[in-house]
Amino acid sequence: MHLYPFYIRYPNMNTQQHISGLSRALLVVAALCLAANIFLPIWKIELYAPQYPEGLVLKIFADGLGGNVEIINGLNHYIGMAELHSENFIEFSILRYLFGFFAAMIFLVAVAGRKRGVYVVFVAFVIFSITAMIDFYRWNYNYGHNLDPNAAIIVPGMAYQPPLIGYKQLLNFGAYSIPDTGGILFILSGLLILVVVLMERGVFAKWLKRGTSAPAAMLVVMIMAVLSACGIPDARPVKLHSDMCAYCRMSITDPQFAAQLVTQKGRHYIFDDILCLTGYKREHQTTDQDHYYVADYCQANTFVRLEEAYLLHSDSLRSPMAGNIAGFAVEDSMQTYMKRYSAARLSWEELIR
């Protein structure tokens, strides 16, 4: 009895060390998403200023830089920032090979189907991702802090480090640092590997056994996290005496009357008066994906979607550009100020006629 072959005595051990067919398929998709980064732009930094209403963009590929590199270099020269050239970054000589290596590793793990391989590739992916973000931060820091002391424009104590991710104001430029197509696929690749790890660790199975919908909820959260990277951001807080009205070019001085236009590309246009917003809309082409916001008169720097806001007009409101229009998020507040100022109700449609 004791001479039975190992696989007969332990018939389930081999299968327990292999992943499911669904896990294999998810890993193949993750490998393809990662491999796409060899060809697609991974990250982008968008710059907007009054003199560049359409914006400038710096695109980061696995093997170099793209976009408006020469224009950005010309502008940065005046404030003492180093010029950007692909050959100055060693990362561009190895990054595409790293993407290819990791994509091949994930694909081979899918073919081999070993659980241990899944765990190893997940840990390696996390280490690679953290290292890449640290290197990107280091690059941003050096780029924004190591300035030429003989530059034409010097602002004492001022640094021009671009944001790692998100928005940052740099003098009169608004800078957005966000994942590009390749970066979104990179994030999706990591999420798919994480899902496989959780599946093979039996996490989803335990939740299902308990009769909870947590696995489905977690998958929805992961999907929303990826989709949010390409969604339109909400209105942002206004920086008084720093932000400039996109229409009249005056500094924003009163947050109660501010308004914003957020384009489908995520660009924020700030206005010091709803009247300026309507003037800008009449003179510029917009799309159905653009979002309009107006400040809540009762809560400074709180914005509400314009089509959901309650608008009042009264000469007693005294807005910066004499539009004398205020927005309210709550109807009761609107009613209070309507009586106080003998104000008249307005609609967005009436304003833009």
Side-chain angles (χ1 to χ4, degrees), residues 37 40-46 57-61 177-187 229-230:
N37 282 267
L40 298 175
I42 305 167
W43 209 266
K44 60 183 176 181
I45 299 176
E46 297 182 344
V57 62
L58 176 69
K59 288 183 173 286
I60 302 175
F61 293 81
S177 178
I178 53 178
D180 209 323
T181 307
I184 294 173
L185 291 176
F186 183 93
I187 296 171
C230 54

Side-chain angles (χ1 to χ4, degrees), residues 29-40 96 99-100 102-104 185 189:
V29 175
L32 293 174
C33 290
L34 195 58
N37 282 267
I38 299 175
F39 312 100
L40 298 175
R96 55 184 172 180
F99 282 131
F102 275 97
L185 291 176
S189 178

Side-chain angles (χ1 to χ4, degrees), residues 163-213:
L164 183 66
I165 184 169
Y167 173 84
K168 187 176 182 180
Q169 188 74 27
L170 302 171
L171 290 181
N172 65 325
F173 277 89
Y176 295 87
S177 178
I178 53 178
D180 209 323
T181 307
I184 294 173
L185 291 176
F186 183 93
I187 296 171
L188 178 59
S189 178
L191 290 176
L192 289 174
I193 299 172
L194 175 59
V195 169
V196 172
V197 169
L198 295 177
M199 287 173 57
E200 297 304 326
R201 294 291 294 178
V203 175
F204 291 158
K206 291 178 183 178
W207 284 337
L208 289 172
K209 189 176 181 180
R210 294 173 185 171
T212 176
S213 59

Side-chain angles (χ1 to χ4, degrees), residues 20-136:
S20 66
L22 176 58
S23 293
R24 290 172 185 261
L26 292 177
L27 287 176
V28 170
V29 175
L32 293 174
C33 290
L34 195 58
N37 282 267
I38 299 175
F39 312 100
L40 298 175
I42 305 167
W43 209 266
K44 60 183 176 181
I45 299 176
E46 297 182 344
L47 302 170
Y48 296 97
Q51 62 267 43
Y52 292 98
E54 298 303 318
L56 301 173
V57 62
L58 176 69
K59 288 183 173 286
I60 302 175
F61 293 81
D63 58 353
L65 300 171
N68 307 114
V69 180
E70 294 305 320
I71 298 177
I72 293 173
N73 279 338
L75 293 171
N76 290 344
H77 171 75
Y78 291 101
I79 55 177
M81 298 178 73
E83 290 190 356
L84 295 170
H85 299 289
S86 299
E87 56 269 19
N88 294 338
F89 299 89
I90 190 174
E91 293 88 345
F92 293 138
S93 63
I94 62 174
L95 193 54
R96 55 184 172 180
Y97 299 109
L98 288 175
F99 282 131
F101 170 77
F102 275 97
M105 180 189 298
I106 297 170
F107 182 78
L108 290 175
V109 168
V111 173
R114 304 287 290 182
K115 287 187 179 182
R116 181 176 297 178
V118 173
Y119 304 146
V120 170
V121 81
F122 176 70
V123 172
F125 185 91
V126 170
I127 293 174
F128 172 60
S129 302
I130 294 175
T131 302
M133 294 307 291
I134 292 175
D135 184 66
F136 186 41

Side-chain angles (χ1 to χ4, degrees), residues 14 55 62 78 89 96 103 110-111 113 116 152 194 248 287 295-296 316 328 342 347:
N14 192 43
Y78 291 101
F89 299 89
R96 55 184 172 180
V111 173
R116 181 176 297 178
L194 175 59
C248 69
T287 70
D296 183 356
S316 300
F328 298 85
S342 299
S347 68

